[in-house]
Amino acid sequence: MPVRFVRLANSAASARTSFVAKPTFNPAFPSSPLTTMPGPGNLNGKLYAHQHVLPRLPIPTLDETCATYLKSVRPLINDSDYEKTVRAVNEFKKPGGKGEELQKRLIAHDKSKNNSWLIDWWNSYAYMAYRDPVVVWVNYFFCFVDNKNFINKPAGRAAELITGAMEFRKLVVSEQLEPDMARNAPLCSEQYRYLFNSTRIPQLPEDITRNSDPAKNNHIIVLRNNQFYSLELVVHGRQLSTAEIESQLQKIYKLAGNTKDIAVGAFTTQDRDSWAKIREQLLAVSGKNKASLDKIESAAFVVCLDDAKPITYEQFIVFDNGVAGFNGEHSMMDATPTSRLCDWVLDRLGKGKINHGTPTVGSLEAPQKLQFDLTPELKQEVSNSEKKFADLVSKHDLQVVVFEGYGKNVIKKFGCSPDAYAQMAIQLAYYKTYGKCAATYESAQTKKYAFGRTETGRSVSIESVEWVKAMQDPKISNQKKGELGRKAIASQSSYMALAVDGKGVDRHLLGLRLLIEQGEEKPSIYNDPSYALSSHWNLSTSQISSEYYNGYGWGEVVPDGYGCAYMVNSNVLQFNLVSLFLQNDVMKYNLLEALREMRPVFEATAPPPKAKL
């Protein structure tokens, strides 16, 4: 990527975020509110027009969750362990038991909230209170298909992406962007409030979010050779043309030269507690540091002009040769808004639908380089941060699996859900690699509800286990394998439908657990080994598909697991495997083999083509 086109994460690189009930303020920047919900804005806008009519996130009944939970753990444990789990669940849900008491507390908690029973907890538990480094474990990336017009022209590529992003920003800020839709129904748009001019601030014991006024902050931050430049995109009330932006970027290339500054941005790769303490030290040193951090944290987004030239899928972070991509900050947004941004920009650029303004370049002041005063102690912290980050990266292996044999178009002819089909390929590959099945997380969006984010889709089922075992048995016919495969796909699709409806088990059980008061005995369902086992995500998976991407991924969530992002495009399936060197090459081979073996199996049981009228 010649540009790493990123939404602003924390003060200089990337991060995660939380939701608080009312605005808080950063004493370092008293004029800049730290809020999770910018005001209602344009009452005639489209983006938030349906927010007031969206239903609240439901609370499943105790019986519903307990039944679904038992079904989901059954394929992961033996008969003896399952009997223990059944006893723990029955104890939990019995009339007058602890489960009923916690359910009553959860219903009361829901009534006390003006958003949803889950959102404050989830943003804190999953993101803002999470203290490990955000790089690898929280942030995610998209790698864009090359634009052949900008091979070895990184400034031009960056400029067009910036213009495209600013056009999308106008739609968001003016609220004229149509809301996301699912089956002709609007989805929650709350996450779009954090798409631009929003950042995660490290604090103890929990991080907070800073939103800055987009009307007053039309600058972006451009990084080159560890140097930070503030580039104003609106001058005298007029947005710069693409040609003018490219000219300003060329000035940055020249100003930055070939010498790297001390890597202040490395601070943000630290664990959150360390970065919070370092940030306070930075602020205490000088007003110059305060001003530079303020400029970074209030920016619309960040563009990184990297100095390498990737030629393979794995080397996705560097881009002096015109390759481009996106590094997403996950805290207050899931990947759907950022993917819509990127897909919209790339689609409009490709179709010539972006207004690039006048091709002439006027006289403009050079972008401002941000300055930092660093004490000897802070310089040592930079060195420590770089070493820790290099060590973290060196422990990880990334493999990109590109299968060009067929894609979504063919899978649909099989009469199968493309997403469920890809999930079964992952299951089969894992079974081929390890001879067993393991807990698998698939992200299911719950944005049909107000303030909805995600629920867990549990992909492993009794049916999927039976199918992967059958696929490894040469004595079983393709017809039978296909029948079992369709049952496995139906089971996966059924669970995902429950999850999308807010009736998965993981968020509900979390909510009940969080209401156990200090000093109270924890119900046996939470101490039962099956609870930890069934949520130990050896496979953390999610799909974002775009014909404009050739890469998408993130890191593993458990040390003995994989981060497995995947795309199901028209004629290609792609998987991104990240792990702590857990036989990624074997998993890659087995994924390709699984997809080859699945085709004749599902062709054998495909429904007849529909007659043309």
Side-chain angles (χ1 to χ4, degrees), residues 437-580:
C437 296
T440 303
Y441 173 103
E442 181 181 4
S443 180
Q445 74 168 11
T446 55
K447 293 201 301 177
K448 65 192 291 184
Y449 302 109
F451 299 93
R453 289 200 63 173
T454 61
E455 172 59 278
T456 302
R458 293 187 166 206
S459 298
V460 179
S461 64
I462 294 171
E463 293 82 2
S464 71
V465 172
E466 185 178 6
W467 174 69
V468 296
K469 290 180 178 178
M471 288 294 290
Q472 294 297 90
D473 188 343
K475 297 189 294 294
I476 297 178
S477 68
N478 280 351
Q479 179 70 28
K480 180 63 176 177
K481 290 176 180 177
E483 292 169 0
L484 293 173
R486 290 178 185 279
K487 290 179 180 178
I489 282 177
S491 180
Q492 190 272 349
S493 296
S494 176
Y495 197 105
M496 283 296 286
L498 281 177
V500 169
D501 281 341
K503 294 187 176 182
V505 304
D506 289 274
R507 304 296 186 265
H508 187 201
L509 289 175
L510 171 66
L512 296 173
R513 179 163 62 86
L514 291 174
L515 288 168
I516 300 171
E517 296 176 357
Q518 188 173 4
E520 287 186 332
E521 183 179 356
K522 186 182 292 185
S524 58
I525 187 175
Y526 295 112
N527 294 320
D528 178 42
S530 296
Y531 180 71
L533 175 70
S534 67
S535 56
H536 183 85
W537 308 119
N538 295 94
L539 287 163
S540 173
T541 75
S542 184
Q543 180 197 173
I544 288 286
S545 295
S546 170
E547 299 295 335
Y548 296 105
Y549 302 166
N550 61 16
Y552 157 54
W554 64 85
E556 76 289 344
V557 299
V558 294
D560 56 341
Y562 297 85
C564 183
Y566 60 98
M567 299 188 295
V568 186
N569 289 333
S570 297
N571 300 302
V572 176
L573 288 94
Q574 184 167 317
F575 303 81
N576 191 86
L577 297 171
V578 178
S579 76
L580 298 173

Side-chain angles (χ1 to χ4, degrees), residues 282-314:
L282 267 174
L283 290 171
V285 168
S286 71
K288 185 185 297 182
N289 289 350
K290 178 181 175 181
S292 293
L293 285 175
D294 185 38
K295 206 68 175 175
I296 293 169
E297 293 169 359
S298 61
F301 52 89
V302 171
V303 172
C304 177
L305 303 173
D306 219 317
D307 61 356
K309 300 179 179 181
I311 56 173
T312 66
Y313 287 112
E314 284 83 352

Side-chain angles (χ1 to χ4, degrees), residues 2-76:
V3 188
R4 181 170 45 192
F5 161 42
V6 310
R7 188 182 83 83
L8 180 61
N10 58 39
S11 321
S14 23
R16 245 177 5 162
T17 329
S18 169
F19 193 108
V20 291
K22 56 185 178 182
T24 57
F25 294 86
N26 184 350
F29 305 112
S31 63
S32 300
L34 292 164
T35 173
T36 60
M37 191 185 303
N42 178 9
L43 297 179
N44 296 316
K46 301 175 184 177
L47 186 57
Y48 305 109
H50 303 279
Q51 290 300 115
H52 67 290
V53 297
L54 291 176
R56 290 176 68 88
L57 184 70
I59 299 175
T61 68
L62 204 57
D63 284 341
E64 284 175 327
T65 291
C66 287
T68 304
Y69 174 70
L70 286 174
K71 187 177 180 180
S72 74
V73 302
R74 185 65 189 94
L76 299 172

